[in-house]
Amino acid sequence: MQGLAASSKLSLTVVVVAVFLLGLAGAAHGRRKLVSSANDEPCKKMTLYYHDILYDGGNNTANATSAAATEPTALSNSTYFGMLVVFDDPMTKRKALPVGNELPTARAQGFYFYDKKGSLNSWFAFSLVFNSTAYKGTLNLMGADLMGERTRDISVVGGTGDFFMARGIATLRTDAMEGLYYFRLQMDIKLYECYV
Ligand SMILES: *[C@@H]1O[C@H](CO)[C@@H](O)[C@H](O)[C@H]1NC(C)=O
Ligand SMILES: *[C@@H]1O[C@H](CO)[C@@H](O)[C@H](O)[C@H]1NC(C)=O
Ligand SMILES: *[C@@H]1O[C@H](CO)[C@@H](O)[C@H](O)[C@H]1NC(C)=O
Ligand SMILES: *[C@@H]1O[C@H](CO)[C@@H](O)[C@H](O)[C@H]1NC(C)=O
């Protein structure tokens, strides 16, 4: 009995010391790095919808959240080659746009431009800015949006705040196109490096 008590005391001491040391290691680095190598096992995953409401040059100034900042070039006007669009778009968990005072889950702030002569193709660089009770911080995304493909991957190159140093992939899929001035993308954001 006494032997048992002594050994459980010893193991308790070991556990306490180990926890203390882990605590120190944690404190030294602040966060723990999680790296996932399996495609289907990201360390964090979320699906958000990106709503691009383009300024139509006329009546939708109250509603629009993006605007062409340059004209297409004469090189290939039909594919908008060289046109750059700056956006501050709402990102939502569901497909619907926020109504009334409802806040979006995040804002997508950045730009895309059209970069192909023969067909429509674009390139994106933007931050997802989170400022809610759920998340505060940014995720930074960039890459080619190969518009001919049903789904295309762009890189999550970094993050800040709750997404400190995050890296991963965002899979984009065009979910809706309404006329020339609205489209919606589904973004499946999968992080493979998380610091928690
Ligand atoms: C703006 O509204 C006017 C009047 O309803 C309409 O004639 C015009 O075509 C609209 N402009 C655009 C760019 O939608
Ligand atoms: C804003 O634009 C979106 C996309 O075209 C449309 O669905 C929505 O009804 C518009 N909202 C208002 C208030 O005009
Ligand atoms: C490109 O097309 C637009 C709309 O059709 C037109 O207004 C513009 O003048 C054209 N630009 C060039 C450089 O051809
Ligand atoms: C974030 O939200 C807080 C509280 O609603 C607000 O005071 C602050 O201005 C917001 N920051 C940004 C960058 O939007």
Side-chain angles (χ1 to χ4, degrees):
M1 262 327 239
Q2 218 174 3
L4 188 64
S7 81
S8 65
K9 201 170 177 183
L10 177 68
S11 61
L12 183 67
T13 310
V14 169
V15 169
V16 168
V17 169
V19 167
F20 179 69
L21 287 176
L22 277 176
L24 276 187
H29 298 288
R31 295 171 192 252
R32 225 160 25 90
K33 181 179 179 181
L34 296 181
V35 179
S36 159
S37 49
N39 277 8
D40 54 353
E41 287 171 16
C43 49
K44 189 167 203 51
K45 190 175 168 177
M46 63 176 115
T47 294
L48 295 175
Y49 292 91
Y50 165 99
H51 304 265
D52 198 48
I53 309 167
L54 261 165
Y55 176 48
D56 63 9
N59 304 322
N60 73 343
T61 45
N63 201 14
T65 53
S66 75
T70 63
E71 295 267 337
T73 62
L75 180 60
S76 178
N77 199 13
S78 63
T79 64
Y80 302 111
F81 191 87
M83 182 171 122
L84 180 133
V85 172
V86 178
F87 56 84
D88 176 12
D89 283 343
M91 300 287 298
T92 56
K93 282 205 181 104
R94 286 184 223 95
K95 294 187 180 197
L97 278 164
V99 284
N101 292 333
E102 200 185 330
L103 288 174
T105 304
R107 299 206 72 90
Q109 299 177 335
F111 60 83
Y112 57 84
F113 52 75
Y114 291 93
D115 60 354
K116 199 163 179 196
K117 258 171 95 175
S119 61
L120 269 185
N121 202 65
S122 66
W123 199 89
F124 269 94
F126 61 101
S127 298
L128 295 181
V129 181
F130 293 82
N131 184 26
S132 66
T133 45
Y135 296 116
K136 290 205 191 325
T138 64
L139 280 174
N140 298 301
L141 292 81
M142 58 185 268
D145 181 20
L146 305 171
M147 290 168 68
E149 307 287 329
R150 203 184 74 84
T151 64
R152 46 274 177 193
D153 288 348
I154 63 172
S155 305
V156 178
V157 295
T160 65
D162 289 339
F163 303 101
F164 179 82
M165 298 273 282
R167 293 205 305 157
I169 297 286
T171 301
L172 314 186
R173 185 180 66 78
T174 305
D175 188 58
M177 282 188 80
E178 290 167 19
L180 288 175
Y181 300 109
Y182 175 76
F183 68 87
R184 180 169 67 234
L185 300 177
Q186 180 182 325
M187 288 190 188
D188 292 325
I189 299 161
K190 292 150 288 182
L191 302 180
Y192 294 97
E193 250 182 66
C194 305
Y195 290 74
V196 294

